[in-house]
Amino acid sequence: MSFTFNGISSDSFGIIVRDIKRPLLPDQNDNYLQILGRHGSYLFNHELNDRIIEIDCVLADDTIENLRDKLRQIAVWLYVDERKPLSFADELDKYYLAKLDGVIDVEQIIAIGQFTLRFRCEPFAYGAEQQARFENDTATVINSGTFEALPVFTATFTSVASEWKVTLGTKYIRVVRDFQAGDVLEANCVTGVVKVNGASVMVDLDWQNSEFFALPSGESDLTITPVGVCDTTVKFKPRWL
């Protein structure tokens, strides 16, 4: 088994992976409240916590000096300021967003070192970005992940319009604005921000009724109104528990 972090494989350093601990599910941030006189407790369900992945590694070289030099190269590889992709050889189509958590203690015997890497990851595994173009202002997208995915819509206006609205079932995002031909609107359900030509236009969002919705697992039908005023694309990254 090998792993890749920040675009570099563990094989390039000669790391032998002894064990990988990947929890089946991330920790669930649940709270329980016990009420006097009531059997059982009330459950208050909250968001998922980060996922912790631990990798037990062995590194060997022909001399102690070479081993120490290679360990320093590994330290440079692992040091990052923000979360980077972490993937494994048995699931090359998925990756986690991860950053090292805690101190790496190296147990060294002559020219052999043993250590455990503890990565703190976002709760989900991600897949490659998917993209679809609306045809006649409708699009059917398939989220192959096991968890809902957050879409990003980009609409390029081909004529003037007084609003833009994308709908999924009973949920929608609506922006009320005097759009001109050539305007480019972005409605980002990841960040919860709406932009036109690169500038934030949150004041134009119908915030009382709009919802930055997610795409459920499976097939979703999306529509744009008014029809015939823009070319729209949607992109998203599937997520797995």
Side-chain angles (χ1 to χ4, degrees):
M1 180 70 73
S2 63
F3 65 96
T4 299
F5 178 67
N6 197 19
I8 300 176
S9 171
S10 58
D11 288 340
S12 62
F13 297 97
I15 294 174
I16 300 171
V17 177
R18 295 181 57 192
D19 188 31
I20 300 175
K21 299 181 180 68
R22 280 177 287 180
L24 183 63
L25 283 171
D27 183 31
Q28 301 179 66
N29 189 23
D30 295 336
N31 290 323
Y32 294 88
L33 178 63
Q34 185 72 49
I35 304 297
L36 185 64
R38 180 186 183 277
H39 296 293
S41 60
Y42 286 106
L43 167 63
F44 294 90
N45 188 25
H46 297 286
E47 296 81 4
L48 296 171
N49 284 328
D50 286 339
R51 186 190 298 260
I52 304 299
I53 296 178
E54 294 184 345
I55 306 173
D56 294 333
C57 303
V58 175
L59 183 67
D61 214 311
D62 52 353
T63 67
I64 297 176
E65 292 77 12
N66 287 343
L67 176 66
R68 295 308 306 176
D69 181 65
K70 190 168 289 185
L71 286 170
R72 293 194 181 280
Q73 294 176 40
I74 291 172
V76 173
W77 166 47
L78 296 174
Y79 178 73
V80 293
D81 292 330
E82 57 186 18
R83 284 171 169 164
K84 298 294 183 179
L86 169 68
S87 60
F88 298 92
D90 60 348
E91 282 190 312
L92 293 176
D93 61 333
K94 300 176 180 65
Y95 66 92
Y96 301 90
L97 289 176
K99 188 178 187 297
L100 272 180
D101 184 41
V103 177
I104 306 173
D105 292 322
V106 179
E107 299 179 15
Q108 184 176 337
I109 302 176
I110 313 300
I112 299 176
Q114 300 183 55
F115 53 91
T116 297
L117 304 178
R118 186 177 190 269
F119 287 99
R120 190 180 188 100
C121 313
E122 291 187 5
F124 312 105
Y126 292 88
E129 184 176 86
Q130 305 295 306
Q131 182 169 305
R133 182 176 179 180
F134 284 72
E135 300 291 343
N136 298 320
D137 294 299
T138 63
T140 298
V141 297
I142 299 176
N143 175 14
S144 59
T146 59
F147 200 80
E148 60 186 18
L150 299 174
V152 178
F153 299 94
T154 303
T156 301
F157 284 82
T158 55
S159 62
V160 297
S162 59
E163 68 173 60
W164 177 88
K165 181 180 178 182
V166 59
T167 302
L168 172 64
T170 59
K171 301 175 182 178
Y172 62 82
I173 303 170
R174 178 172 177 254
V175 181
V176 180
R177 180 184 175 88
D178 291 329
F179 291 103
Q180 304 298 314
D183 282 347
V184 178
L185 174 143
E186 179 185 276
N188 192 323
C189 294
V190 179
T191 61
V193 173
V194 176
K195 295 181 179 180
V196 172
N197 301 329
S200 176
V201 292
M202 297 301 292
V203 67
D204 296 329
L205 177 67
D206 177 14
W207 59 270
Q208 291 180 309
N209 302 296
S210 295
E211 178 180 348
F212 288 99
F213 55 77
L215 304 173
S217 296
E219 189 173 287
S220 296
D221 294 320
L222 300 160
T223 59
I224 299 292
T225 53
V227 299
V229 300
C230 64
D231 293 325
T232 303
T233 59
V234 57
K235 59 183 180 181
F236 63 93
K237 292 180 180 179
R239 301 191 292 185
W240 285 264
L241 283 172

